[in-house]
Amino acid sequence: MIWIERQRAFLDFTLSSLWRRKVRNLSLLMIYALIIFLLSSVIFFTHALRKEAESVLKDSPEMIVQRVVGGRHSLIPISYVEKIDQIRGTSSVRPRLWGYYFHPASKTNYTIMVPEEFSQPDDTVETGAGVLRTWGPLWKGKLYFKTHDGEAILLKAINTMGDETDLVSADLILMSESTFRKISGIPEGYANDLSVNIRNERESQTIMMKTVKALPDTRPILKKEIIRTYISLFDWRGGYVIVLLWGALLAFFIFAWDKATGLSAEEKTEIGILKGIGWDTSDVLMMKFWEGVVISLSAFFLGVIAAYVHVYFASATFFEHALKGWSILYPKFSLRPSVNPYQLAILFFLTVVPYTLLTIVPTWKVAITEPDLVMRH
Amino acid sequence: MVRKSTAYLIFLLVAGLVMAGLIFMHPRLQMVDYERGLVKRQHLVRELGLTDLCLFTEARYTRHLSQADLHSPFQDYPMALEHFPSGSLVLPPEHLLKR
């Protein structure tokens, strides 16, 4: 009990001392909380997106086969379907017809696609929620398209994909095969790529090698490579965003180090007086320890809570601008709220612990000096 | 008058409880809504054979990141520099990195 009461007395004294320099300490707290907010937002956001990509893309085709001409993705003849179908282990091969359509009025890129079964007539398209959000005014519920040979066509738009699928479907426009070929100009007998279903996923590597052997101008992309692409993209340790944020974190630590090493004359006098009235060096260090704890722990709580609200309640609004770049269309999505305790622990040890230690070291240097020397200085 | 340490400890307790509530309780409360949306997304991916997330729609190599070829960021001629903002955020697809 005595120990607890003693620590509370230190805490009382520390809080009063901090409050005497409130403008300086509150601004420090705000900057510190902002740094933690940015770091945790990136960590939460990339973690949630990585989990989302893993859960959603596990239903992607087992293998996509592209044709490569001159190092570039090119149209693939539909006759390749038969050759891949003959490879043992494949259960189905389907040509995929998809492409991009740039709508000059809204300056937006859309993905046009032909589903395996399209139940609408040729003059109707099914759109993702983002398409109708960005397209601009519709003429009697119809979208104006320009075909590859310059002809104008109007297609009736129906929104069959709700907001809930926006993360994969925001820019999708589904249409019949004949309408797609009319708009894109992809000739009959060709597709963009082939999607291959494989009976046993463990055989995918072998089937991939057999495909390349049978069709040397193709490049197969396995589902696990698609998923790994997104995992590495959203891996916070490897992301470019975290590299940029490390710069901000280092700048903050230099600032904190500078603040801590250059104890103000007022602080030095305070330490001298405390020693003069009978405080031990260990007492002064304990007070400074509490000062570090109060600032860093408060900043940690404020930063992490704000980051959680930002990512999971406000759909990471601050990152929208960076992710959007020059694009007009950005999906509406809510991420699965989940925080990895390991990441939270790393964040704690990277922010709270170093700052607390940083404030103790320079104080120790002053605290071991004779009190009269410190006060006279 | 309340001691400063008491006020601060109450702040820590409240902040700790809010954080614990957000981290441990909020995901459970959101799970049903989230799962419903996830099932729809998975169904669409399976039905249409989709390969990518619709996050960056500005450039074709970032819209369909996993399907990009090595040259697509540099557009159509050798001196064209990669210039889309999202190009600086993404890494090349896995199948190109391991070559």
Side-chain angles (χ1 to χ4, degrees), chain A residues 8 52 96 164 225 326, chain B residues 6 34 40-41 49 98:
Chain A
R8 283 194 64 186
E52 182 69 25
R96 287 202 319 159
E164 281 170 314
E225 289 170 338
W326 296 346
Chain B
T6 312
Y34 173 79
K40 284 187 185 171
R41 285 191 288 280
K98 71 177 184 187

Side-chain angles (χ1 to χ4, degrees), chain B residues 30-81:
Chain B
Q30 288 291 305
M31 196 52 78
V32 178
D33 276 353
Y34 173 79
E35 288 288 339
R36 196 174 49 230
L38 180 67
V39 169
K40 284 187 185 171
R41 285 191 288 280
Q42 285 171 333
H43 176 72
L44 202 67
V45 166
R46 196 166 44 244
E47 200 183 340
L48 300 176
L50 302 177
T51 52
D52 290 85
L53 299 183
C54 176
L55 271 178
F56 317 100
T57 56
E58 59 183 350
R60 65 177 190 270
Y61 65 95
T62 53
R63 169 61 182 94
H64 290 98
L65 183 63
S66 68
Q67 307 297 301
D69 61 53
L70 207 52
H71 304 276
S72 51
F74 304 98
Q75 308 305 311
D76 293 313
Y77 58 103
M79 290 300 285
L81 295 174

